[in-house]
Amino acid sequence: MNILQAIGRATLSAGTAIWDVFALFFNTLYWLLFAPFIGKFIGRRYIFQQMVFVGVQSILIVFFVTLFIGIVLAMQGAYQLDKLGAVRFVAALISVSMCREMGPVLIALVVAGRVGSAIAAELGTMKVTEQIEALETMALNPVRFLVVPRFLALLVMLPALTIMGDLVGMFGGYLVGVYNLKISPGLYIKTNFEFLVAKDVMTGLLKSVVFAIIISIIGCYQGLNTKGGAEGVGRSTTLSVVISFILIILADAILTGIFYFANV
């Protein structure tokens, strides 16, 4: 095989994978939005189970990650702002940067590593042990019973985790601002919210919705297309995390560019 054949084969394979990912996404939307109107509902029990796994069981790790990020941002911001004699504005720096950028991206990466990999591993194991074929044999659609609950759980819980993470990050900055920089608590809180406007929070939440779609669809796609036994499960899990990380950063760059040029 010469180099042109290799490039052509890789391009064709990538194009097919992208097409399949979009097909899975629109298939998921069908089962989520239209199928209930013809009496094909999604079991609430499965959705709540996934919401607990995605959201409740991620609270602790999100708490510590965003707390430490808030502390680091405060110290780094204070170091720079102190040169300008504007150290009290460190509160505004943290609140805006956490809500618009750091909170949504960092929490999405954490959830992609924990939840996206688990989804790929679980569905991949079901695939190689032929449990998914068993579902299809019983006329049960795998997208309806396996993908939609995970998709919906991430769609709800990732923005919720982002709100929590934003507040915890601001609390981490508060600890540095009040106890290290000696800013009065009242002034810190006032400055914290003085420069934070609704669009800062909304743009962050919009990003978290897009990231939730990426994590769920990539994790499910990798799991449902697993081949090669236990080794294949490991490969799908790794690919799920790597691809999700890349797409999250790419989507963040695109959305930030759109918000910047649209002055949002």
Side-chain angles (χ1 to χ4, degrees):
M1 182 187 302
N2 60 38
I3 187 168
L4 291 178
Q5 288 176 320
I7 293 173
R9 195 179 291 269
T11 304
L12 184 62
S13 177
T16 304
I18 293 171
W19 175 266
D20 290 342
V21 166
F22 276 102
L24 177 62
F25 172 63
F26 288 113
N27 197 5
T28 303
L29 289 184
Y30 165 77
W31 285 106
L32 180 64
L33 301 176
F34 300 109
F37 291 104
I38 56 174
K40 294 183 178 180
F41 298 98
I42 309 299
R44 283 180 294 180
R45 183 167 62 91
Y46 300 116
I47 296 172
F48 286 132
Q49 284 177 348
Q50 292 302 319
M51 290 174 74
V52 170
F53 172 67
V54 171
V56 178
Q57 295 181 9
S58 297
I59 286 177
L60 201 58
I61 185 171
V62 168
F63 175 86
F64 283 112
V65 168
T66 51
L67 177 69
F68 296 145
I69 289 296
I71 291 173
V72 171
L73 273 178
M75 291 188 290
Q76 290 287 357
Y79 174 73
Q80 296 296 330
L81 291 172
D82 191 40
K83 298 175 183 176
L84 304 173
V87 72
R88 83 175 182 92
F89 293 106
V90 70
L93 172 71
I94 294 170
S95 61
V96 174
S97 58
M98 282 300 299
C99 290
R100 288 190 73 104
E101 189 66 32
M102 301 299 290
V105 174
L106 283 172
I107 293 167
L109 294 178
V110 168
V111 172
R114 179 184 174 273
V115 177
S117 61
I119 290 174
E122 186 179 5
L123 298 189
T125 303
M126 294 179 69
K127 178 70 176 180
V128 298
T129 55
E130 300 183 350
Q131 295 180 55
I132 292 178
E133 283 77 2
L135 284 175
E136 293 172 337
T137 303
M138 292 186 290
L140 300 176
N141 190 294
V143 175
R144 176 186 174 190
F145 288 96
L146 299 177
V147 178
V148 172
R150 290 166 173 80
F151 180 85
L152 191 56
L154 270 159
L155 214 57
V156 173
M157 298 310 293
L158 190 57
L161 287 172
T162 300
I163 293 173
M164 188 203 82
D166 292 344
L167 294 173
V168 173
M170 285 188 262
F171 175 69
Y174 175 88
L175 295 177
V176 175
V178 172
Y179 296 105
N180 182 260
L181 304 177
K182 306 303 180 185
I183 302 172
S184 72
L187 177 61
Y188 188 93
I189 294 173
K190 179 176 179 291
T191 309
N192 197 66
F193 293 102
E194 187 177 356
F195 293 89
L196 185 66
V197 294
K199 68 179 182 182
D200 297 326
V201 179
M202 296 307 295
T203 53
L205 290 179
L206 179 61
K207 285 183 179 180
S208 69
V209 170
V210 175
F211 299 157
I213 294 172
I214 291 172
I215 296 168
S216 58
I217 293 299
I218 295 299
C220 291
Y221 172 79
Q222 290 297 331
L224 293 174
N225 288 277
T226 300
K227 297 175 183 175
E231 184 181 348
V233 174
R235 188 165 52 246
S236 294
T237 303
T238 304
L239 278 174
S240 168
V241 175
V242 172
I243 295 172
S244 294
F245 274 31
I246 293 172
L247 292 181
I248 286 169
I249 300 299
L250 174 64
D252 180 55
I254 293 172
L255 290 172
T256 301
I258 292 172
F259 297 148
Y260 175 76
F261 288 110
N263 196 25
V264 176

